[in-house]
Amino acid sequence: MYELPRLLNYLTAPNVLIWSAASASCAIPGLYQPVPLMAKTKHGDIVPWNPPGTHWVDGSIENDLPMARLSEQFNVNHFIVSQVNPHVIPFLQQSDKGVHKKGVLSTVKYIVNSEVQHRLGQVTRKPNDSK
């Protein structure tokens, strides 16, 4: 809970089993319990990944895209991202191009969207974070 997020990939965690990483990526506090990451030893045995007894949750809870870490580790400057979580559709910013909808419904949607984003930010912010 109090650790920094870790970027795990084929270099930093080459023996982690994909199904356990996918299970951890689905683990969202309040919906799905945190799970241990599992790895395969050189003899083919399935064991808990380092450190044993640690449980993992989805990294997007605090940082959806670790672009800074990816840039540092792989010297990447540009990202192509696909958002596949349908629950975020109401929070996506729509383009300013085209027809502008002005009215009560649009204003209410904006206010609700802003309030939800603010409250989610409060929930995910660390206690000593000054944002």
Side-chain angles (χ1 to χ4, degrees):
M1 178 176 173
Y2 299 104
E3 287 188 28
L4 291 172
R6 294 186 189 184
L7 179 61
L8 304 180
N9 58 35
Y10 71 99
L11 295 174
T12 61
N15 299 329
V16 169
L17 298 173
I18 299 295
W19 63 262
S20 72
S23 295
S25 184
C26 294
I28 300 172
L31 295 176
Y32 298 106
Q33 294 296 315
V35 297
L37 286 176
M38 305 303 284
K40 192 176 276 193
T41 66
K42 63 181 177 180
H43 302 295
D45 299 323
I46 296 176
V47 297
W49 187 71
N50 182 28
T54 303
H55 288 74
W56 302 81
V57 297
D58 181 30
S60 68
I61 298 299
E62 289 192 19
N63 187 5
D64 195 24
L65 298 169
M67 290 185 274
R69 297 285 307 276
L70 289 169
S71 294
E72 291 170 6
Q73 288 188 344
F74 298 104
N75 196 25
V76 177
N77 295 322
H78 302 284
F79 298 87
I80 298 173
V81 179
S82 174
Q83 179 57 265
V84 296
N85 299 321
H87 64 276
V88 301
I89 291 173
F91 307 109
L92 295 176
Q93 297 294 328
Q94 294 186 1
S95 173
D96 288 339
K97 297 176 183 174
V99 178
H100 292 288
K101 293 183 179 178
K102 299 203 184 235
V104 176
L105 186 59
S106 178
T107 303
V108 169
K109 180 181 174 186
Y110 173 77
I111 291 170
V112 170
N113 184 6
S114 298
E115 183 66 19
V116 170
Q117 286 182 352
H118 174 69
R119 297 297 175 190
L120 288 173
Q122 287 179 322
V123 169
T124 59
R125 195 172 301 133
K126 293 182 179 82
N128 60 357
D129 196 356
S130 62
K131 289 183 185 176

